[in-house]
Amino acid sequence: MTTHCNHTIINTQPLISIVTAVFNGEDYLEDAILSVINQTYDNVEHIIIDGKSEDNTIDICNLYSHISKILSEPDKGVYDAFNKGIKLAT
């Protein structure tokens, strides 16, 4: 439910944080991003944690303005990446 107050939109739904961990994922990342975009729930922050990919992963991320945060740096694997994403979640 969304309410309006002095031209400010206040979303009363709980915020859902979605963390996508990726490394050199140009072949499948766009499908994951589109899956988040196509959800019917409105109050979502999408955080992408990239393990310093050497392909077009970051270029793909930059095509989508709905992505709340992008972090690209070396990590120690998928669990480290997800922990970084959780720390960035609102």
Side-chain angles (χ1 to χ4, degrees), residues 19-83:
V19 177
T20 301
V22 62
F23 178 70
N24 289 335
E26 69 182 358
D27 292 338
Y28 58 87
L29 178 60
E30 192 162 28
D31 288 340
I33 292 170
L34 292 173
S35 176
V36 173
I37 289 172
N38 290 322
Q39 297 301 309
T40 58
Y41 192 83
D42 291 332
N43 200 15
V44 173
E45 71 173 346
H46 190 186
I47 301 166
I48 296 185
I49 307 299
D50 170 56
K52 199 65 175 171
S53 294
E54 297 174 357
D55 62 2
N56 292 316
T57 294
I58 294 301
D59 294 332
I60 293 168
C61 291
N62 289 329
L63 294 174
Y64 295 94
S65 62
H66 88 284
I67 298 171
S68 306
K69 298 171 187 161
I70 302 169
L71 176 65
S72 182
E73 65 183 20
D75 57 47
K76 298 174 186 167
V78 68
Y79 296 108
D80 184 39
F82 280 123
N83 285 331

